Amino acid sequence: MTIPVEQLSDPTVRAFVTALNAHDRQAFAAVLAPGATMSDDGSDRDVNDWTEREIFSSGGRMEVEAEADGGRALVATYTNDTWGAMRTAWRFTVDGGQIARFETGQA
């Protein structure tokens, strides 16, 4: 069972998932705070390189299964053309209506 994106609790996380699924680079960049950081499976990554490779050039998309922590922690099936589908956990740090950090990894 998935949670429709428009029903995600945190508006900033909702904007992140909406932009990701739409492959909207401009909207995605707008939701990230200047200097935003991220990690994948516990290793810090360059946000621009990672998002280009794992989202935009590989058709990345997420279907949210569950949320916690006021909508700032998600479990989702993440799919892209490189890796296929995998169950992933996402955690977001939101500051001033933008995402300052996100962490993802296998759930």
Side-chain angles (χ1 to χ4, degrees):
M1 179 122 176
T2 61
I3 300 171
V5 175
E6 61 274 7
Q7 292 181 15
L8 294 175
S9 299
D10 187 281
T12 305
V13 172
R14 184 169 57 242
F16 177 97
V17 176
T18 299
L20 185 154
N21 285 346
H23 303 120
D24 184 335
R25 283 178 168 90
Q26 189 172 10
F28 190 85
V31 80
L32 295 179
T37 61
M38 61 91 48
S39 70
D40 184 3
D41 283 328
S43 297
D44 278 7
R45 306 283 186 207
D46 179 273
V47 173
N48 293 325
D49 290 346
W50 188 90
T51 55
E52 182 57 37
R53 185 177 63 254
E54 300 292 340
I55 298 171
F56 298 114
S57 65
S58 63
R61 55 209 174 273
M62 71 172 24
E63 293 181 1
V64 178
E65 298 173 18
E67 64 175 359
D69 191 24
R72 293 185 178 181
L74 306 177
V75 174
T77 299
Y78 189 79
T79 307
N80 70 22
D81 299 338
T82 303
W83 305 108
M86 65 189 87
R87 195 159 186 259
T88 56
W90 297 75
R91 181 163 278 300
F92 300 91
T93 302
V94 177
D95 183 18
Q98 290 183 299
I99 292 174
R101 180 172 177 83
F102 68 95
E103 299 170 354
T104 186
Q106 293 193 44

